[in-house]
Amino acid sequence: THEFVWTQSVLVDLLLEFLEVATHHLLYVKAIYPKESFTRRRKYGAPVQMSRVPPVSDYVYDVIKSLKEPLCQNMIKHVVILLINAQNIGVERFVFEVDLSQFEQQRIPRRYSLQDLEREFQAFILKLNMSSEEHVPPGGNGLTWQIVVETRECIDGGENWVKCEWPKADEPTIVPLKSLSLIGIKFQLYREDLSQAYLE
């Protein structure tokens, strides 16, 4: 047998793969695109939905892949799926917060396996399902979306990114969904309900 070796590069690749899967699945559960345009797969021991429309899947893949270098340098603070209504107003944000500053390969418990991390990812997917089923933002199915990334300092994101101001909302409703603080990383997911913040 071969012992699984935790390196920062391996960890980042696993996080990026999860972000890609979570983005696809979120687009499905929020009905951004027709459900028939997705295909059911199994990942992390849970059923997930992945878009089978090439422009969508290619875009998600390219954008998430472009995060590898800044993530390895711990320059990314938040990766956000922003949902936007027909009036071009952001109504909901799913925020993935990541901090790899404490990652040290020698501090990872030898007993901590890839399967342990995948079980954590499974729990994230289940929380996405529960949150999305409980909350439908104003605009219903007429939503569009963007990926927004907040960095710890200014970086050149390449052709996939456009520099913008971090979108603000007055007193959004924040709902923590799931957090992971293991093997020297902090990774958490929360949902921000922006609809009331903009409507009040």
Side-chain angles (χ1 to χ4, degrees), residues 146-163:
Q146 294 177 353
I147 297 180
V148 182
V149 173
E150 182 182 17
T151 59
R152 291 185 167 87
E153 58 184 85
C154 185
I155 64 173
D156 179 10
E159 63 181 11
N160 289 313
W161 297 100
V162 176
K163 184 177 179 181

Side-chain angles (χ1 to χ4, degrees), residues 35-177:
K35 292 189 181 297
E36 58 268 21
S37 67
F38 291 81
T39 184
R40 180 187 173 100
R41 296 181 184 173
R42 194 162 186 84
K43 189 69 176 175
Y44 314 122
V48 298
Q49 298 285 341
M50 304 289 287
S51 175
R52 50 189 176 86
V53 178
V56 176
S57 57
D58 291 348
Y59 171 75
V60 173
Y61 173 81
D62 289 341
V63 168
I64 297 300
K65 182 181 178 181
S66 72
L67 300 178
K68 180 170 183 175
E69 183 175 347
L71 194 56
C72 282
Q73 299 172 2
N74 197 40
M75 297 176 69
I76 291 178
K77 185 176 182 181
H78 297 117
V79 178
V80 180
I81 310 301
L82 173 63
L83 305 184
I84 304 165
N85 67 12
Q87 289 72 46
N88 201 33
I89 296 175
V91 293
E92 191 175 13
R93 286 198 294 238
F94 285 83
V95 182
F96 297 90
E97 183 175 351
V98 58
D99 183 358
L100 303 181
S101 62
Q102 301 302 311
F103 177 84
E104 294 182 26
Q105 183 175 343
Q106 64 270 25
R107 293 178 57 190
I108 299 174
R110 294 173 65 90
R111 66 181 180 276
Y112 193 80
S113 68
L114 175 61
Q115 289 71 33
D116 292 323
L117 183 59
E118 290 184 339
R119 278 192 290 270
E120 294 285 349
F121 286 159
Q122 179 191 70
F124 275 91
I125 293 294
L126 296 177
K127 285 293 185 179
L128 275 179
N129 286 338
M130 294 171 59
S131 173
S132 299
E133 290 171 358
E134 294 170 357
H135 181 79
V136 178
N141 292 345
L143 296 173
T144 57
W145 66 289
Q146 294 177 353
I147 297 180
V148 182
V149 173
E150 182 182 17
T151 59
R152 291 185 167 87
E153 58 184 85
C154 185
I155 64 173
D156 179 10
E159 63 181 11
N160 289 313
W161 297 100
V162 176
K163 184 177 179 181
C164 65
E165 294 296 322
W166 181 247
K168 302 292 184 182
D170 295 330
E171 299 182 359
T173 301
I174 299 176
V175 181
L177 298 178

